């Protein structure tokens, strides 16, 4: 059992014994470096229940703990803070127990583990993936892996927005201007080809709007009456009516996009257990809206559109079906949620979607609750901030997005130029160099994005992310590679366990304390859906290791037991770096 859990239980006993009240808040923190101790009990929160002097309360608890807990070597009280010294024997036993465990900190899902579904990516089939999708994918994938490491059964899914007016815009533009182009004939990835026609539609649409305004139409009239937009609307109606020609073109162009997406997902290192398609779930949404109409959940306006009034819940009125009977996003999201709970044994669902959709998800969850689905209480919106670039905001329609494939390549190129400047790749083949640039570049990108709290907006700077110093992916990867170099040079038996009489160097003990925090960091990251906690824990671990590395000799020391222990300690740190980075979807190189 973790020492903090042991102490928490005994602190309760001490307070009950002395004051006949059980404290409802017990707060520990690492002991400040300028005081003697390993862990500190903050007694002030308990003073709400225990009326006494804080120093006296700390002294009484300290005496009790010293007598009752064999792992305690002593204590001191500083202004109401109880600084507790943990015996070396406790750390020796802990280290011997975990030193060879590559799965340290990871819980395997139990047969009765709760099923959690995590949705991420959720692209539209009218454009390639961009920088915003990268944050979404990295966040969703990492949260899935962290939830899994915390002992949950996890299902990773995406919903593909493969229907709607935006899809029809690309289709109309390709019909009018494409001249039969295909990914093969243009040697373009299919998602990029289709995305080009989405941009082309917008250009032509703007031209037609300007022309109509010149002819005397208002801006709203011009937008509604522009011929190319009317064609797109008509195409959507034909698609929903299952028109064979429209459906055939839709299937062809969507497949181009799926093939392109698969290449990007593969390059990014993310995957899914199942893909849902809105074209297959929107009808289920329509059925539920019809039933909700009959039950009085929804109401119909004079133009035939269907709405829900959520003003009693502090929200607004929301449309769920257009007047022409076509579905909106809400329609298909209702259907998709219902289908997922039918398909999988889950009791929680996490939607990884940007914070501009917070209102949408409040409404969706309320609608599902009003439709009578009890599991609506277990829906969670993992809301995250946008990604900005030094050059400004991205706009898909205008073709000013940062393409995901281009960014992945740019990261590898940046890693290459920085690595060549450092000049540490003698003896590498060209293929090995390219693989290393890929690992460093992607690691830099993923770490830079995931180390930030998901709710915060990010200003992404590619060059800053590939720095080999500071809180970056390459700095941590370099430390891992340094440890692998130490392990390759350790040409002696490193299997012996620590003896009970072993005495730690202060840097060794600091490192072991940091190692102890890994399991609870995973649990906390899972609870908060925050890869940032894992990323920043790993950075602190690496800082602690580098301090240890600079202050003690590892292979050059004469004492055999110390040399063996320091190699074992280095190996355990490397295992945790590799494990933690796997939770972030980041690879680690064996040498750099």
């Amino acid at each position: 059992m973790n020492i903090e859990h042991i102490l928490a239980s005994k602190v309760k006993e001490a307070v009950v014994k002395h004051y006949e009240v059980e404290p409802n808040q017990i707060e520990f923190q690492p002991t400040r470096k300028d005081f003697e101790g390993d862990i500190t009990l903050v007694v002030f929160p308990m003073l709400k229940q225990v009326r006494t002097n804080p120093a006296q309360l700390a002294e009484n608890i300290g005496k009790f703990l010293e007598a009752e807990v064999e792992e305690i070597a002593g204590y001191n009280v500083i202004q109401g803070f109880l600084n507790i010294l943990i015996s070396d024997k406790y750390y020796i036993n802990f280290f011997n127990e975990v030193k060879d465990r590559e799965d340290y900190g990871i819980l395997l899902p139990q047969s009765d583990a709760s099923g959690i579904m995590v949705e991420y990516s959720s692209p539209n089939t009218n454009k390639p993936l961009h920088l915003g999708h990268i944050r979404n994918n990295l966040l969703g994938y990492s949260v899935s892996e962290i939830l899994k490491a915390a002992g949950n059964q996890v299902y990773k899914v995406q919903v593909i927005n493969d229907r709607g007016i935006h899809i029809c815009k690309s289709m109309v533009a390709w019909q009018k201007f494409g001249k039969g182009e295909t990914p093969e004939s243009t040697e373009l990835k299919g998602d990029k080809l289709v995305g080009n026609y989405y941009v082309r539609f917008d250009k032509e649409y703007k031209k037609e709007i300007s022309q109509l305004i010149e002819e005397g139409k208002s801006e709203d009239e011009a937008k509604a009456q522009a011929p190319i937009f009317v064609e797109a609307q008509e195409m959507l109606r034909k698609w929903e009516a299952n028109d064979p020609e429209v459906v055939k073109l839709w299937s062809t162009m969507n497949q181009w996009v799926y093939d392109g997406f698969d290449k990007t997902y593969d390059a990014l290192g993310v995957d899914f257990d199942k893909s849902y398609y809105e074209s297959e779930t929107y009808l289920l949404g329509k059925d539920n809206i019809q039933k909700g109409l009959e039950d009085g959940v929804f109401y119909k306006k004079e133009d035939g559109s269907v709405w829900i009034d959520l003003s009693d819940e502090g929200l607004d009125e929301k449309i769920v079906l257009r007047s022409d009977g076509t579905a909106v996003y809400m329609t298909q999201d209702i259907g998709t949620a219902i289908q997922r709970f039918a398909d999988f044994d889950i009791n929680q669902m996490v939607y990884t979607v940007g914070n501009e959709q917070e209102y949408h998800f409040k409404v969706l969850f309320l609608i599902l609750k009003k439709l009578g689905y009890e599991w609506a209480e277990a829906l969670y919106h993992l809301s995250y901030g946008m990604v900005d670039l030094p050059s400004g905001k991205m706009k898909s329609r205008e073709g000013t997005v940062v393409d995901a494939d281009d960014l992945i390549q740019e990261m590898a190129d940046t890693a290459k130029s920085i690595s060549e400047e450092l000049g540490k790749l003698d003896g590498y083949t060209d293929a090995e160099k390219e693989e290393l640039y890929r690992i460093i570049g992607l690691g830099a990108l993923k770490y830079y994005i995931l180390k930030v709290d998901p709710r915060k907006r990010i200003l992404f700077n590619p060059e800053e992310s590939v720095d080999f110093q500071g809180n970056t992916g390459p700095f941590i990867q370099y430390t891992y590679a340094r440890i692998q170099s130490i392990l390759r040079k350790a040409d002696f038996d490193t299997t012996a366990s620590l003896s009970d009489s072993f005495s730690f160097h202060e840097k060794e003990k600091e490192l072991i304390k940091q190692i102890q925090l890994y399991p609870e960091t995973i649990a906390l990251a899972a609870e908060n859906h925050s890869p940032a906690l894992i990323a920043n824990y790993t950075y602190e671990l690496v800082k602690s290791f580098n301090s240890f590395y600079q202050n003690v000799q590892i292979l050059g020391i004469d004492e055999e037991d110390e040399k063996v222990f320091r190699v074992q300690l280095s190996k355990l740190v490397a295992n945790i770096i590799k494990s933690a980075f796997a939770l972030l979807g980041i690879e680690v190189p064996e040498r750099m």
Side-chain angles (χ1 to χ4, degrees), residues 433-445:
K433 286 179 183 177
E434 292 304 317
E435 177 64 0
L436 185 60
Y437 302 147
R438 182 191 69 80
I439 290 172
I440 294 172
L442 264 181
L445 170 67

Side-chain angles (χ1 to χ4, degrees), residues 398-459:
E398 295 172 16
T400 60
V401 300
V402 176
D403 183 273
D405 299 316
D406 293 345
L407 182 58
I408 291 168
Q409 185 57 52
E410 183 188 337
M411 295 305 298
D413 293 343
T414 304
K416 178 179 180 178
S417 65
I418 292 174
S419 298
E420 286 175 345
E421 278 176 32
L422 294 171
K424 294 184 177 181
L425 297 179
D426 295 340
Y428 282 66
T429 66
D430 287 345
E432 286 171 335
K433 286 179 183 177
E434 292 304 317
E435 177 64 0
L436 185 60
Y437 302 147
R438 182 191 69 80
I439 290 172
I440 294 172
L442 264 181
L445 170 67
K446 293 181 178 185
Y447 188 84
Y448 195 93
I449 285 175
L450 292 174
K451 74 178 180 180
V452 179
D453 183 295
R455 292 164 296 186
K456 291 183 179 173
R457 204 167 181 131
I458 295 177
L459 181 66

Side-chain angles (χ1 to χ4, degrees), residues 125 141 168 233 247 389 423 483 507 531 580:
T125 56
Y141 178 86
C168 293
Q233 284 182 309
V247 169
L389 290 154
I483 295 173
K507 294 296 178 184

Side-chain angles (χ1 to χ4, degrees), residues 426-540:
D426 295 340
Y428 282 66
T429 66
D430 287 345
E432 286 171 335
K433 286 179 183 177
E434 292 304 317
E435 177 64 0
L436 185 60
Y437 302 147
R438 182 191 69 80
I439 290 172
I440 294 172
L442 264 181
L445 170 67
K446 293 181 178 185
Y447 188 84
Y448 195 93
I449 285 175
L450 292 174
K451 74 178 180 180
V452 179
D453 183 295
R455 292 164 296 186
K456 291 183 179 173
R457 204 167 181 131
I458 295 177
L459 181 66
F460 180 69
N461 184 323
E463 287 196 8
E464 194 178 282
S465 72
V466 191
D467 195 335
F468 281 78
Q469 296 296 324
N471 190 6
T472 67
F475 173 68
I476 295 169
Q477 288 172 321
Y478 183 74
T479 302
Y480 176 85
R482 170 185 274 170
I483 295 173
Q484 297 312 302
S485 175
I486 293 167
L487 299 181
R488 285 192 291 271
K489 291 173 186 170
D491 55 354
F492 49 88
D493 183 6
T494 60
T495 58
S497 292
L498 283 181
S499 69
D500 285 352
S501 59
F502 189 86
S503 181
F504 292 108
H505 185 286
E506 64 171 322
K507 294 296 178 184
E508 294 168 342
K509 200 167 178 181
E510 281 175 19
L511 196 46
I512 290 175
K513 286 184 199 174
Q514 194 65 32
I515 286 167
Q516 277 198 306
L517 298 175
Y518 185 47
E520 67 186 66
T521 302
I522 293 175
L524 202 58
E527 185 184 329
N528 290 280
H529 304 92
S530 178
L533 296 174
I534 298 290
N536 290 292
Y537 163 82
T538 312
Y539 177 55
E540 292 301 321

